[in-house]
Amino acid sequence: MINREENKNRKFAVILSGCGHQDGAEIHEATLTLWAIHKNGADYQCFAPDVKQQHVLNHITGEEMPEERNVLIEAARIARGNIRPLSAYRAEAFDGLVIPGGLGAAKNLCSFAVDGPDFTVNEDVSQAIHTTHRAGKPIGALCIAPVIPAKVLGRGKLTIGQDQATAAALAAMGAEHIATWQGEVAVDEKNKLVSTPCYMLDSRVDQIGKGIDNLIGAMLRLS
């Protein structure tokens, strides 16, 4: 049972990676994250790194478009303009950190989509994860995003669903993969990491919502 009164003073930071699953944040995952936070009585503030997107794709054809876009400005579309540069994030002001998926997480927050397990992480993203973890506050990661805390922390029990190649990449970074299905979450209580597979599986929107709601619920219990 949700205790909205207990959660009303809790606030999560949400890191967005643009707008659109092929080159930015997955919009369903991002929106349902905000929904789940409010559904559980807590609040949120969106952040994004103020950097150029890796590229811009046509979401109908998948072809690259001859233009440049900024991750923070694109993410503002989802946040309805209420967004801050990730460089302004301070772990002490929040009860946890959530990173929705979408290929922007693997392209704009880090270089996993290009470099595989040897990827690098955006400095502001890395700093946000480190400071949140040191403060003993939970970190939630959706879809492909669990590769980011795995890389930054070099440990943790995390899920990306059933994909063996990505699971092997997690292991190469020092993390342990927990196989999950739609709506399920992996909870690492020791490291305060919570993850759910979302569109790493062939999922419906309602299944995405269930997984994210479970993830936010677990984060609230850990915070």
Side-chain angles (χ1 to χ4, degrees), residues 29-76:
E29 293 177 19
T31 302
L32 287 166
T33 295
L34 307 184
W35 167 80
I37 292 170
H38 274 172
K39 173 179 177 287
N40 283 276
D43 205 354
Y44 62 81
Q45 173 63 54
C46 293
F47 291 86
D50 188 4
V51 296
K52 186 177 73 172
Q53 283 187 195
Q54 183 193 80
H55 55 195
V56 180
L57 298 182
N58 180 319
H59 276 60
I60 297 175
T61 66
E63 295 177 352
E64 189 165 353
M65 301 174 68
E67 60 182 270
E68 293 184 355
R69 297 190 185 185
N70 176 278
V71 174
L72 177 63
I73 293 172
E74 288 300 292

Side-chain angles (χ1 to χ4, degrees), residues 6-185:
E6 181 181 290
N7 296 334
K8 70 177 183 179
N9 294 320
R10 298 186 184 184
K11 192 170 187 177
F12 289 122
V14 179
I15 300 179
L16 301 177
S17 57
C19 182
H21 75 282
Q22 293 187 41
D23 55 15
E26 209 298 315
I27 296 172
H28 297 156
E29 293 177 19
T31 302
L32 287 166
T33 295
L34 307 184
W35 167 80
I37 292 170
H38 274 172
K39 173 179 177 287
N40 283 276
D43 205 354
Y44 62 81
Q45 173 63 54
C46 293
F47 291 86
D50 188 4
V51 296
K52 186 177 73 172
Q53 283 187 195
Q54 183 193 80
H55 55 195
V56 180
L57 298 182
N58 180 319
H59 276 60
I60 297 175
T61 66
E63 295 177 352
E64 189 165 353
M65 301 174 68
E67 60 182 270
E68 293 184 355
R69 297 190 185 185
N70 176 278
V71 174
L72 177 63
I73 293 172
E74 288 300 292
R77 295 174 181 269
I78 297 173
R80 296 177 61 85
N82 183 14
I83 195 165
R84 299 175 186 171
L86 187 54
S87 58
Y89 171 76
R90 298 293 179 267
E92 61 269 20
F94 296 92
D95 295 285
L97 182 68
V98 189
I99 311 174
L103 282 172
K107 294 177 178 178
N108 302 327
L109 303 186
C110 70
S111 64
F112 179 74
V114 175
D115 299 325
D118 296 324
F119 70 99
T120 58
V121 179
N122 171 275
E123 184 177 345
D124 289 333
V125 175
S126 180
Q127 179 74 1
I129 291 171
H130 273 304
T131 57
T132 303
H133 184 68
R134 285 198 297 266
K137 297 179 179 182
I139 297 168
L142 286 58
C143 196
I144 192 62
V147 300
I148 303 175
K151 183 70 171 182
V152 172
L153 301 176
R155 59 184 178 276
K157 297 179 181 179
L158 295 153
T159 188
I160 45 76
Q162 300 286 328
D163 184 79
Q164 294 304 307
T166 310
L170 286 173
M173 292 177 239
E176 177 184 348
H177 180 251
I178 307 298
T180 54
W181 293 104
Q182 291 91 343
E184 296 179 341
V185 296

